[in-house]
Amino acid sequence: MPRCILLASILGCLLVAAACSRAPPEEHAEETFTTPSRIVTETRPLALSKDQLDRATDLYRRGEHDSVRAALVPILAEARAVFDSVSESRILTLLGQSAYREGDFATARLISEQALDLKLAIGLEAEYSPSYNALGLIAWRQSRLSDALDLYAKTAESATADTLRARAVVAINRGLVASDLGDFKGARLEFEKGRDLSRQISNTRLEGIALINLGMLEIWTGNPAGAFEFLRQAGDRYREAEVVDLEINVLGQRGSAYTAVGELGKAIAVLDSAVALARDRGIQHEEASNLETLAEAYRTAGEYRRALDLYEEAEGINEKLGLAQETGSDQRRRADIYASLGELSLARDYAERALATHRAGDARWEQLSDLVLLADVSDEMGDARASDRYLSEARQLAGEFDARTARVFTALAEARISDRAGRPRRVLTVLAEAWDELASGGYDSEWEAHVFEARAHRRLGQLDSAVVAGRAAVRAVERVRTSLRSEALRSAYSTHRERVYSSLVAILLQLGDPTEAFEIAASARGRALLERLAPSGWGSNRDPDNGNELEETEAALRRVGELSVRLRQFDELPSVDRDSAALGEIAQLLADARSAYEDARIRAIESEPAATALLGSRRTRASEMMSALRPDEALVLYLVTAEIGVGFVVRDDVVRSFEIPISDESLSRRVRVARELVGNPQIDGTAARDALRGLHELLIEPALRGGYLAGVERLIVVPHGVLTYLPFGALISAAGRFLVEDFALQVLPSAAVLPVLRSQPSPAESALSSAIAFAPLPKTLPATKAEVQAVKGAFSRGWTVEGRRATERRFRQALAEAEVVHVATHGTLNVLNPLFSFLEFAPGPEERGENDGRLEIHEVLGLAINSSVVFLSGCETGLGASWSTEFERGEDYATLALAFLYAGAQNVVATLWPVEDEGAAAFAARFYAELEDSDPVFALARAQRELISHPNYTEPYYWAAYRLAGAGLTTARTKATAVR
């Protein structure tokens, strides 16, 4: 059974170390060549002059490795022709270092070994040390850790000049090997030694490398907050040394630290900059490392598919570069995500590959992650023997590490396995032993520990203790969730941690407290409506007192634009004219400006109650909900997860609950079958009716049997997960009646939105009298012409806009002025980028910008809509992207319908599947005829009931696709003016 999460939080939280950007070594680049103590070829002129060497070294420093080769390869041939071994060795050394920086480690090793052999042959003793160091770095990158240590020892032994610098270099690079071996105490001593020696010789570049490695170690050993000061100091040193390449690593390590402390928005901002800089400089191993760290941030946020893509991209680079350890780590991270998605066989296959790779390279710290993942996956697959074996190996290995992360990691893994086995006392024992480590905070693991604790107490009947732990788990999730700047990430983060909420809901219901249980269930709503907002519309139909937020947002956006232009201008310069230090400074300023922009954007949006309610960010209060409901109304909210299935019925005076005895996986299958049957007019209706009866029995009948819906005429449904795609009105009771025949229905994205929408102006005393109907495609959709004429005829002041006149610009104008706006056209979902789903209009004369004939979701979000009713008579205008792809929670409300609702529309009618156009015309005529005497909810219900009784349209295919989102009422609006 798929889980909401398997190891994403723990592998993400505690082994951000494994996803952490690799710390930089010290490479001896600019000080490689010194005066030799003995030159065999001193009777011949040197083929390589000092000026040529200086120019090539400068190109190397700037990262222009193609130019390094172009400058040195011809001279290499000349040196060989005249048997100038000194010049040949130096050229080879610099070419090897250049290949290393490009990530071509196999070539770097081959060339560097040739260079060393020449130096040994001619006795160029002063240059032995940097060659040994270069080969040691290559061995480290290729996970030949024993070879690396041997080569570093030779580096120190052969140093004949600048011995303090050589000792500092060796200390730093030995520290990296110790880190990979899990010897963190030894690594810290080496890094501190390298830092102190660097300070003695005033080498700011080398000191910066030591500082960044100390920051990395803080992350790996469980103190990510302690990393920031080291990284700040490292950044200062690199700016002094004017080395932009190493600034990439500072950004990567900052991204790792931000991810570890739950500041995912900041992590993504700095990591985007790090990846961009690495690509600009052509440093592939740094690009891969930062892609991995960025993927870790997305995985922690619950954006699994995005994380998989990034890991796959990084793995491809690492394989090309021959980086076995990094390739293995990418395989494990992908295995972890596959496990979280329920693809266990695939997860075990990838994890076993990762373990074999890391054992071959003796990467013991990485092996710990592999073993814990394999223990968990094996247990999930029912292979207890293999799980015990892997967990035992992991515990033994963790005991050898002096690292908090290793202890937390294994404790949570054992708690998870014990929880799955139904051993609550063992869960509490394991967690008690690790509480001191967990209480230190810093990682996104606290919430999971509290969930296990709550579940264990509940199983033991200790409900008061269970509630305390459950509330602590919710608080821990909310701390991280509220730190995210992106609403899309907030959505994914909370929806992939549903069990935090569902565990507490189950406990509260067991204690007999449905009111708080309802509030927690409603808080679990995280929606991905706004991934990117069109800033031009902010404030246009919002609170006028929010001018400061709007001004701040626009100023930040202008700053982002200015810096982006400057960065592009740098990219367009010839390589020789680029100022690396200035480039790094601009990139950092751009990252900071993007962060400021996002901060201002979120403040501007979340100062609007309607926006936060629509997005699921606003806490739902049962008392507010009851006050917003009328006596003849009931709100029904569903929560169905792997742990619990429950429905809540809220009336104006009480909250009740009922059990839904089905798993989320089984419910998902049944909803999909029902929807596919109902949405296909070619399929016999008998099978569809059977499926709809079964769902009515699960989702509605318990509330009816309990008397919870007595006296109710209007049902306000707040669906969850796959229920978003269910045509509730088509559910069939045991008596054979469709649900819409007994209740008028409307749908809301979250319960919190109802009190906000109901706080708008009082319902209009007079009926809606003006409407504008659009038919942009009368030739390809011929029935839309009759449809819009029917709309026009239903109003005393009605207009139609057809064909080439039905432009996007005219539609925008109508939304600002008309009481009712109807559009009959194609609605197209963009599966990969839901905010670019669109309604199709006739293109305007200029055919660009806001008149290109494609009104996209992100554009709708910036509109100022004053219409009481917007009717989107298109294909699947009410669906999110999830239905068109593999279903993923959190995407359900990135829809055209809710974009219109967010932009100010009071009620939006949209469709769940492509509707046959003649049936659409018939439905529209009946809906508007009923709207003259009814509010939109009852008009919709009566239109649906009329079609049910019509012999040509009785099947749900023709009428059940329509549903209404919004307040369900209409308010007095500005009267429409004609669109000419």
Side-chain angles (χ1 to χ4, degrees):
M1 178 184 298
R3 298 163 295 176
C4 295
I5 191 166
L6 175 68
L7 286 179
S9 66
I10 334 186
L11 279 174
C13 69
L14 104 93
L15 285 187
V16 172
C20 174
S21 180
R22 291 295 291 269
E26 170 51 23
E27 302 170 19
H28 268 304
E30 69 275 23
E31 297 174 271
T32 295
F33 308 110
T34 58
T35 303
S37 59
R38 182 169 62 89
I39 301 178
V40 173
T41 57
E42 57 186 326
T43 59
R44 296 178 181 271
L46 292 178
L48 179 65
S49 71
K50 184 178 186 303
D51 286 344
Q52 289 173 314
L53 178 62
D54 288 344
R55 283 197 299 274
T57 302
D58 187 56
L59 290 169
Y60 167 83
R61 289 173 181 166
R62 296 206 303 265
E64 297 175 25
H65 302 293
D66 288 341
S67 299
V68 171
R69 284 191 294 273
L72 293 181
V73 169
I75 304 173
L76 177 63
E78 181 183 338
R80 285 174 171 167
V82 299
F83 303 101
D84 180 358
S85 299
V86 172
S87 294
E88 182 181 354
S89 70
R90 291 174 173 176
I91 293 168
L92 288 171
T93 298
L94 193 52
L95 286 172
Q97 289 174 330
S98 188
Y100 173 88
R101 294 306 303 277
E102 287 188 296
D104 186 355
F105 301 119
T107 299
R109 181 182 181 183
L110 178 65
I111 295 175
S112 298
E113 286 177 343
Q114 291 176 5
L116 178 61
D117 288 345
L118 275 174
K119 292 175 183 179
L120 292 172
I122 63 178
L124 206 59
E125 296 175 2
E127 295 181 16
Y128 292 172
S129 180
S131 281
Y132 282 126
N133 182 66
L135 286 166
L137 293 176
I138 295 167
W140 171 67
R141 286 290 185 186
Q142 294 181 323
S143 300
R144 295 182 289 111
L145 301 184
S146 296
D147 290 348
L149 288 174
D150 290 343
L151 288 161
Y152 292 147
K154 291 180 180 179
T155 300
E157 292 168 4
S158 60
T160 59
D162 204 0
T163 55
L164 283 180
R165 185 184 188 284
R167 286 169 55 197
V169 168
V170 168
I172 291 171
N173 293 343
R174 284 177 59 88
L176 290 172
V177 175
S179 298
D180 284 347
L181 292 170
D183 180 10
F184 299 125
K185 185 177 292 185
R188 188 181 303 279
L189 291 172
E190 295 285 5
F191 292 148
E192 289 174 345
K193 181 193 297 184
R195 177 198 60 191
D196 296 342
L197 288 169
S198 302
R199 286 176 177 170
Q200 287 184 43
I201 59 175
S202 301
N203 190 317
T204 55
R205 181 183 185 278
L206 192 52
E207 182 186 352
I209 291 174
L211 288 166
I212 204 173
N213 288 332
L214 285 167
M216 177 203 71
L217 205 59
E218 293 297 316
I219 300 169
W220 283 36
T221 55
N223 182 32
F228 290 108
E229 177 57 23
F230 284 118
L231 298 176
R232 184 195 65 76
Q233 294 178 34
D236 291 344
R237 302 302 179 274
Y238 290 152
R239 279 186 284 276
E240 290 174 29
E242 298 183 348
V243 182
V244 70
D245 289 3
L246 298 179
E247 188 69 15
I248 296 171
N249 208 276
V250 172
L251 289 171
Q253 297 293 344
R254 282 176 60 201
S256 295
Y258 280 133
T259 299
V261 298
E263 292 281 354
L264 301 183
K266 292 180 180 178
I268 289 168
V270 299
L271 290 167
D272 278 338
S273 295
V275 171
L277 275 174
R279 284 175 177 161
D280 179 72
R281 303 289 291 180
I283 308 175
Q284 290 186 296
H285 58 279
E286 287 285 6
E287 178 186 349
S289 182
N290 285 299
L291 283 170
E292 291 160 354
T293 315
L294 183 59
E296 180 59 31
Y298 277 109
R299 180 177 68 168
T300 303
E303 287 281 1
Y304 290 166
R305 295 298 175 188
R306 174 66 173 146
L308 275 175
D309 290 342
L310 291 167
Y311 281 136
E312 185 174 3
E313 187 178 354
E315 185 179 344
I317 295 173
N318 287 325
E319 283 183 339
K320 183 175 71 173
L321 299 180
L323 300 179
Q325 179 173 323
E326 283 82 353
T327 299
S329 299
D330 291 332
Q331 290 169 339
R332 184 194 60 247
R333 294 165 191 145
R334 291 173 68 185
D336 176 35
I337 295 176
Y338 286 130
S340 299
L341 295 173
E343 301 176 31
L344 298 179
S345 295
L346 193 58
R348 184 163 64 179
D349 179 55
Y350 271 94
E352 286 173 344
R353 286 192 231 169
L355 180 60
T357 299
H358 290 140
R359 279 179 168 161
D362 196 28
R364 296 165 67 250
W365 181 248
E366 297 286 356
Q367 289 175 50
L368 176 63
S369 308
D370 303 334
L371 289 166
V372 170
L373 177 57
L374 281 165
D376 204 355
V377 171
S378 298
D379 180 72
E380 185 86 357
M381 297 179 74
D383 190 348
R385 179 175 297 179
S387 178
D388 288 345
R389 183 178 74 252
Y390 286 129
L391 189 59
S392 176
E393 287 184 62
R395 278 196 298 261
Q396 181 178 348
L397 195 57
E400 299 174 13
F401 298 136
D402 183 21
R404 171 196 166 215
T405 47
R407 294 187 290 273
V408 170
F409 194 24
T410 51
L412 282 175
E414 187 169 357
R416 185 183 307 104
I417 291 170
S418 299
D419 173 78
R420 192 180 294 128
R423 300 166 57 198
R425 296 191 186 281
R426 180 59 185 164
V427 170
L428 293 175
T429 298
V430 170
L431 292 177
E433 293 172 353
W435 270 127
D436 287 344
E437 308 284 1
L438 287 164
S440 300
Y443 283 114
D444 180 34
S445 56
E446 180 185 357
W447 68 268
E448 191 167 21
H450 285 304
V451 167
F452 292 141
E453 182 190 15
R455 289 161 61 96
H457 283 304
R458 181 186 173 202
R459 283 173 169 160
L460 294 170
Q462 301 163 355
L463 297 184
D464 289 341
S465 297
V467 168
V468 171
R471 288 172 177 157
V474 169
R475 286 196 301 272
V477 166
E478 290 298 319
R479 274 200 303 274
V480 176
R481 183 175 182 263
T482 55
S483 76
L484 297 177
R485 292 187 177 93
S486 164
E487 192 62 45
L489 289 180
R490 292 188 186 195
S491 165
Y493 184 84
S494 58
T495 52
H496 283 286
R497 284 153 181 78
E498 281 179 333
R499 60 190 171 129
V500 176
Y501 300 92
S502 61
S503 292
L504 183 54
V505 167
I507 295 164
L508 290 166
L509 290 176
Q510 194 169 341
L511 277 172
D513 187 353
T515 299
E516 186 180 354
F518 163 76
E519 293 180 346
I520 296 299
S523 297
R525 294 296 194 272
R527 302 302 180 197
L529 177 60
L530 303 181
E531 186 176 90
R532 293 181 179 89
L533 289 176
S536 59
W538 294 344
S540 57
N541 60 333
R542 311 297 189 221
D543 184 351
D545 293 333
N546 290 338
N548 290 337
E549 284 85 353
L550 179 61
E551 184 177 346
E552 182 183 355
T553 300
E554 292 180 344
L557 186 59
R558 285 195 299 271
R559 177 69 170 155
V560 170
E562 292 166 1
L563 290 166
S564 297
V565 170
R566 289 178 61 189
L567 200 60
R568 256 197 324 273
Q569 291 171 343
F570 262 89
D571 288 340
E572 292 168 359
L573 290 173
S575 298
V576 71
D577 295 330
R578 292 182 193 171
D579 184 333
S580 297
L583 179 65
E585 182 180 355
I586 292 173
Q588 182 59 54
L589 288 172
L590 179 58
D592 293 341
R594 285 172 176 162
S595 297
Y597 167 59
E598 289 187 335
D599 282 335
R601 183 182 72 180
I602 292 302
R603 283 195 298 274
I605 296 169
E606 295 186 347
S607 64
E608 304 165 18
T612 56
L614 274 168
L615 299 173
S617 302
R618 187 170 181 267
R619 177 68 181 271
T620 303
R621 301 292 179 187
S623 58
E624 293 178 0
M625 188 60 51
M626 290 188 283
S627 297
L629 290 168
R630 299 177 176 185
D632 65 345
E633 295 178 322
L635 180 138
V636 183
L637 179 143
Y638 294 96
L639 179 67
V640 183
T641 69
E643 181 171 4
I644 188 174
V646 62
F648 293 92
V649 179
V650 185
R651 300 292 299 272
D652 63 342
D653 59 348
V654 69
V655 178
R656 297 186 177 96
S657 66
F658 59 88
E659 182 183 359
I660 301 174
I662 190 172
S663 70
D664 57 345
E665 186 176 323
S666 297
L667 180 64
S668 181
R669 284 198 300 268
R670 294 179 67 168
V671 170
R672 284 179 176 276
V673 168
R675 186 192 177 283
E676 294 296 341
L677 292 173
V678 172
N680 189 340
Q682 306 303 319
I683 297 177
D684 180 70
T686 303
R689 289 173 183 262
D690 288 342
L692 295 168
R693 283 191 186 91
L695 288 168
H696 186 285
E697 175 65 26
L698 280 172
L699 301 172
I700 303 297
E701 195 60 37
L704 292 172
R705 285 196 300 267
Y708 303 162
L709 302 180
V712 170
E713 296 182 9
R714 184 197 313 245
L715 278 185
I716 303 168
V717 178
V718 183
H720 177 235
V722 73
L723 293 178
T724 302
Y725 305 93
L726 178 66
F728 274 86
L731 300 184
I732 301 175
S733 68
R737 290 174 60 81
F738 291 110
L739 187 63
V740 73
E741 294 182 275
D742 296 323
F743 303 98
L745 297 165
Q746 68 188 85
V747 176
L748 292 177
S750 70
V753 77
L754 185 67
V756 175
L757 292 175
R758 291 285 174 88
S759 68
Q760 301 299 318
S762 302
E765 295 181 1
S766 59
L768 298 171
S769 60
S770 68
I772 301 176
F774 289 76
L777 309 171
K779 292 183 179 179
T780 55
L781 297 174
T784 60
K785 190 175 181 69
E787 182 177 341
V788 297
Q789 288 296 328
V791 176
K792 175 183 177 181
F795 291 87
S796 59
R797 293 184 299 138
W799 297 269
T800 63
V801 187
E802 303 172 21
R804 293 171 60 185
R805 295 174 59 243
T807 64
E808 180 183 346
R809 180 171 294 167
R810 291 192 176 199
F811 184 71
R812 290 169 179 258
Q813 181 184 350
L815 291 170
E817 299 172 344
E819 292 176 334
V820 175
V821 177
H822 182 105
V823 57
T825 187
H826 282 308
T828 301
L829 288 175
N830 185 318
V831 174
L832 297 178
N833 301 106
L835 293 192
F836 288 84
S837 300
F838 64 92
L839 291 174
E840 187 172 346
F841 291 88
E846 60 273 40
E847 298 186 2
R848 65 177 187 272
E850 65 177 30
N851 207 25
D852 63 359
R854 295 161 56 99
L855 180 61
E856 298 171 332
I857 283 184
H858 68 89
E859 295 177 295
V860 174
L861 295 170
L863 297 179
I865 298 178
N866 288 312
S867 303
S868 289
V869 177
V870 177
F871 195 122
L872 307 176
S873 183
C875 303
E876 298 179 308
T877 50
L879 273 185
S882 300
W883 193 264
S884 302
T885 58
E886 182 177 344
F887 176 73
E888 290 189 30
R889 295 178 181 85
E891 293 182 2
D892 1 344
Y893 281 96
T895 66
L896 283 163
L898 289 189
F900 279 89
L901 198 63
Y902 173 83
Q906 197 173 12
N907 299 279
V908 181
V909 179
T911 54
L912 289 173
W913 55 76
V915 179
E916 183 268 331
D917 56 354
E918 290 185 6
F923 183 85
R926 285 161 175 76
F927 171 74
Y928 288 111
E930 294 294 342
L931 191 60
E932 185 175 357
D933 299 317
S934 305
D935 66 33
V937 173
F938 282 101
L940 187 72
R942 289 170 183 165
Q944 289 174 320
R945 292 166 189 169
E946 287 186 37
L947 262 67
I948 290 171
S949 64
H950 193 290
N952 293 340
Y953 302 116
T954 188
E955 291 300 323
Y957 164 76
Y958 293 101
W959 53 264
Y962 297 96
R963 68 178 182 190
L964 183 141
L969 308 172
T970 56
T971 64
R973 297 284 189 173
T974 303
K975 300 303 181 184
T977 56
V979 178
R980 301 300 179 189

